[in-house]
Amino acid sequence: MAFEKMIHNAFEESRNNSRFGDTLEEIREIQDYIKNAKKVYIPNKNGIKVEVLNKVLNEYNLPQAKILQINTNSADTSRIPALAKAYMALDQSDADLIIARGRLGIPGSGSLLIFIDNKGRILTCGTSPSHLIHKKTIEQAVYREACEALEKIGFNKEG
């Protein structure tokens, strides 16, 4: 089943009140989309997150990402800053896949790391509480969030 067809079918099932949850085929379509992404971008200023995310992508045998240096400061004024960053990156690139991390919601709500496709649809995500709660470095938090996001859709580390 192709990715777009899978989404269309799920929409039709919901519309017809005949949807009873995710299927393994749907999860495999998401995995295939991520595996086959050619242009993967991470909106970031300094590259620290990019380095950590590429380490994780490598551990899961997935395509490497490139930094997309755009100013995403205004994303923090939105209701879901991480999603706003992802949409800003999508609008500023020709990406197949965007991986964005930012604040989950209001200040103090923690962080959200999301994978979105080239139409802005969320594929998966990982979350962390506020750094004051988890007390991890930014690198440790990003690593854990990325692993959580990938394992949530059935990826396992290679080797």
Side-chain angles (χ1 to χ4, degrees), residues 1-2 14 18-19 21 26 31 34 56-57 70-71 73 76 96 104-106 108-109 137 140-141 144 150 152:
M1 185 186 323
S14 292
S18 61
R19 181 145 180 88
E26 292 167 344
Q31 290 176 345
I34 293 172
V56 172
L57 293 170
I70 59 172
N71 186 335
N73 289 347
D76 284 345
D96 299 317
L104 172 63
I106 64 170
S109 61
T137 65
Q140 291 170 325
R144 195 198 64 71
L150 293 171
K152 191 175 286 183

Side-chain angles (χ1 to χ4, degrees), residues 6 8 10 26 29 33 41 43 47 51 72 79-81 83 90 101 105 121-122 127 143 152 154:
M6 174 271 292
H8 175 77
E26 292 167 344
E29 288 293 339
Y33 185 90
Y41 294 113
E51 189 175 308
T72 60
R79 291 178 182 255
I80 308 172
L83 187 58
L90 186 62
R101 181 181 188 265
R121 298 173 293 207
I122 296 173
T127 61
Y143 181 87
K152 191 175 286 183

Side-chain angles (χ1 to χ4, degrees), residues 58-130:
N58 188 54
E59 289 175 359
Y60 288 83
N61 199 27
L62 295 170
Q64 295 292 285
K66 294 180 181 171
I67 190 168
L68 182 66
Q69 290 184 310
I70 59 172
N71 186 335
T72 60
N73 289 347
S74 63
D76 284 345
T77 64
S78 71
R79 291 178 182 255
I80 308 172
L83 187 58
K85 280 185 184 181
Y87 289 152
M88 292 169 77
L90 186 62
D91 290 342
Q92 300 288 318
S93 73
D94 59 348
D96 299 317
L97 179 66
I98 299 286
I99 306 170
R101 181 181 188 265
R103 203 172 60 223
L104 172 63
I106 64 170
S109 61
S111 64
L112 171 68
L113 183 141
I114 57 174
F115 288 60
I116 67 168
D117 72 4
N118 64 349
K119 292 186 176 181
R121 298 173 293 207
I122 296 173
L123 304 174
T124 189
C125 73
T127 61
S128 287
S130 169

Side-chain angles (χ1 to χ4, degrees), residues 131-147:
H131 68 279
L132 294 172
I133 304 296
H134 66 60
K135 302 192 185 310
K136 294 177 184 165
T137 65
I138 184 78
E139 291 87 355
Q140 291 170 325
V142 169
Y143 181 87
R144 195 198 64 71
E145 292 166 15
C147 291

